[in-house]
PDB file of all heavy atoms in Angstrom:
ATOM      1  N   VAL A1331      -9.912  12.330 -16.550  1.00 97.00           N
ATOM      2  CA  VAL A1331      -9.149  11.614 -17.550  1.00 97.00           C
ATOM      3  C   VAL A1331      -9.111  10.092 -17.102  1.00 97.00           C
ATOM      4  O   VAL A1331      -8.755   9.684 -15.991  1.00 97.00           O
ATOM      5  CB  VAL A1331      -7.721  12.140 -17.730  1.00 97.00           C
ATOM      6  CG1 VAL A1331      -6.874  11.258 -18.646  1.00 97.00           C
ATOM      7  CG2 VAL A1331      -7.607  13.553 -18.115  1.00 97.00           C
ATOM      8  N   ILE A1332      -9.579   9.218 -18.028  1.00 95.00           N
ATOM      9  CA  ILE A1332      -9.574   7.876 -17.765  1.00 95.00           C
ATOM     10  C   ILE A1332      -8.655   7.058 -18.770  1.00 95.00           C
ATOM     11  O   ILE A1332      -8.468   7.580 -19.876  1.00 95.00           O
ATOM     12  CB  ILE A1332     -11.094   7.322 -17.851  1.00 95.00           C
ATOM     13  CG1 ILE A1332     -11.688   7.488 -19.327  1.00 95.00           C
ATOM     14  CG2 ILE A1332     -11.957   7.938 -16.893  1.00 95.00           C
ATOM     15  CD1 ILE A1332     -12.790   6.576 -19.508  1.00 95.00           C
ATOM     16  N   ILE A1333      -8.339   5.885 -18.428  1.00 94.00           N
ATOM     17  CA  ILE A1333      -7.650   4.979 -19.305  1.00 94.00           C
ATOM     18  C   ILE A1333      -8.442   3.721 -19.170  1.00 94.00           C
ATOM     19  O   ILE A1333      -8.444   3.106 -18.103  1.00 94.00           O
ATOM     20  CB  ILE A1333      -6.222   4.755 -18.921  1.00 94.00           C
ATOM     21  CG1 ILE A1333      -5.469   6.112 -19.030  1.00 94.00           C
ATOM     22  CG2 ILE A1333      -5.560   3.758 -19.874  1.00 94.00           C
ATOM     23  CD1 ILE A1333      -4.020   5.981 -18.477  1.00 94.00           C
ATOM     24  N   GLY A1340      -7.324   2.132 -25.121  1.00 94.00           N
ATOM     25  CA  GLY A1340      -6.655   2.375 -23.813  1.00 94.00           C
ATOM     26  C   GLY A1340      -5.854   3.532 -23.704  1.00 94.00           C
ATOM     27  O   GLY A1340      -5.123   3.851 -22.857  1.00 94.00           O
ATOM     28  N   LYS A1341      -6.047   4.540 -24.708  1.00 96.00           N
ATOM     29  CA  LYS A1341      -5.335   5.872 -24.689  1.00 96.00           C
ATOM     30  C   LYS A1341      -6.121   6.656 -23.657  1.00 96.00           C
ATOM     31  O   LYS A1341      -7.323   6.644 -23.523  1.00 96.00           O
ATOM     32  CB  LYS A1341      -5.345   6.510 -26.075  1.00 96.00           C
ATOM     33  CG  LYS A1341      -4.617   5.729 -27.114  1.00 96.00           C
ATOM     34  CD  LYS A1341      -3.272   5.824 -26.931  1.00 96.00           C
ATOM     35  CE  LYS A1341      -2.466   5.167 -28.196  1.00 96.00           C
ATOM     36  NZ  LYS A1341      -1.041   5.213 -27.966  1.00 96.00           N
ATOM     37  N   PRO A1342      -5.412   7.584 -22.958  1.00 97.00           N
ATOM     38  CA  PRO A1342      -6.078   8.417 -22.057  1.00 97.00           C
ATOM     39  C   PRO A1342      -7.086   9.392 -22.743  1.00 97.00           C
ATOM     40  O   PRO A1342      -6.730   9.890 -23.799  1.00 97.00           O
ATOM     41  CB  PRO A1342      -4.960   9.353 -21.461  1.00 97.00           C
ATOM     42  CG  PRO A1342      -3.697   8.603 -21.755  1.00 97.00           C
ATOM     43  CD  PRO A1342      -3.920   7.740 -23.009  1.00 97.00           C
ATOM     44  N   CYS A1343      -8.289   9.358 -22.233  1.00 97.00           N
ATOM     45  CA  CYS A1343      -9.303  10.273 -22.806  1.00 97.00           C
ATOM     46  C   CYS A1343     -10.162  10.896 -21.744  1.00 97.00           C
ATOM     47  O   CYS A1343      -9.984  10.401 -20.588  1.00 97.00           O
ATOM     48  CB  CYS A1343     -10.172   9.495 -23.827  1.00 97.00           C
ATOM     49  SG  CYS A1343     -11.080   8.153 -23.152  1.00 97.00           S
ATOM     50  N   ILE A1349     -12.908  11.456 -26.708  1.00 98.00           N
ATOM     51  CA  ILE A1349     -11.820  12.528 -27.039  1.00 98.00           C
ATOM     52  C   ILE A1349     -10.575  12.232 -26.150  1.00 98.00           C
ATOM     53  O   ILE A1349     -10.534  12.314 -24.987  1.00 98.00           O
ATOM     54  CB  ILE A1349     -12.297  13.882 -26.715  1.00 98.00           C
ATOM     55  CG1 ILE A1349     -13.752  14.140 -27.393  1.00 98.00           C
ATOM     56  CG2 ILE A1349     -11.265  15.056 -26.981  1.00 98.00           C
ATOM     57  CD1 ILE A1349     -14.506  15.419 -26.880  1.00 98.00           C
ATOM     58  N   MET A1350      -9.487  11.903 -26.904  1.00 98.00           N
ATOM     59  CA  MET A1350      -8.202  11.651 -26.330  1.00 98.00           C
ATOM     60  C   MET A1350      -7.603  12.889 -25.907  1.00 98.00           C
ATOM     61  O   MET A1350      -7.600  13.875 -26.484  1.00 98.00           O
ATOM     62  CB  MET A1350      -7.315  10.866 -27.318  1.00 98.00           C
ATOM     63  CG  MET A1350      -7.822   9.439 -27.677  1.00 98.00           C
ATOM     64  SD  MET A1350      -6.791   8.461 -28.706  1.00 98.00           S
ATOM     65  CE  MET A1350      -7.064   9.289 -30.248  1.00 98.00           C
ATOM     66  N   VAL A1351      -6.810  12.648 -24.739  1.00 98.00           N
ATOM     67  CA  VAL A1351      -6.002  13.777 -24.269  1.00 98.00           C
ATOM     68  C   VAL A1351      -5.016  14.307 -25.280  1.00 98.00           C
ATOM     69  O   VAL A1351      -4.850  15.438 -25.542  1.00 98.00           O
ATOM     70  CB  VAL A1351      -5.307  13.246 -23.047  1.00 98.00           C
ATOM     71  CG1 VAL A1351      -4.164  14.371 -22.556  1.00 98.00           C
ATOM     72  CG2 VAL A1351      -6.265  13.015 -21.805  1.00 98.00           C
ATOM     73  N   TYR A1385      -2.943  16.232 -16.653  1.00 95.00           N
ATOM     74  CA  TYR A1385      -2.568  14.825 -16.942  1.00 95.00           C
ATOM     75  C   TYR A1385      -1.227  14.849 -17.634  1.00 95.00           C
ATOM     76  O   TYR A1385      -0.262  14.173 -17.222  1.00 95.00           O
ATOM     77  CB  TYR A1385      -3.529  14.157 -17.626  1.00 95.00           C
ATOM     78  CG  TYR A1385      -3.238  12.723 -18.103  1.00 95.00           C
ATOM     79  CD1 TYR A1385      -3.343  11.694 -17.180  1.00 95.00           C
ATOM     80  CD2 TYR A1385      -2.596  12.478 -19.342  1.00 95.00           C
ATOM     81  CE1 TYR A1385      -2.923  10.439 -17.466  1.00 95.00           C
ATOM     82  CE2 TYR A1385      -2.178  11.139 -19.575  1.00 95.00           C
ATOM     83  CZ  TYR A1385      -2.364  10.222 -18.744  1.00 95.00           C
ATOM     84  OH  TYR A1385      -1.925   8.870 -19.057  1.00 95.00           O
TER      85      TYR A1385
END
Side-chain angles (χ1 to χ4, degrees):
V1331 175
I1332 63 161
I1333 298 173
K1341 299 286 187 180
C1343 63
I1349 301 169
M1350 292 184 289
V1351 168
Y1385 176 84

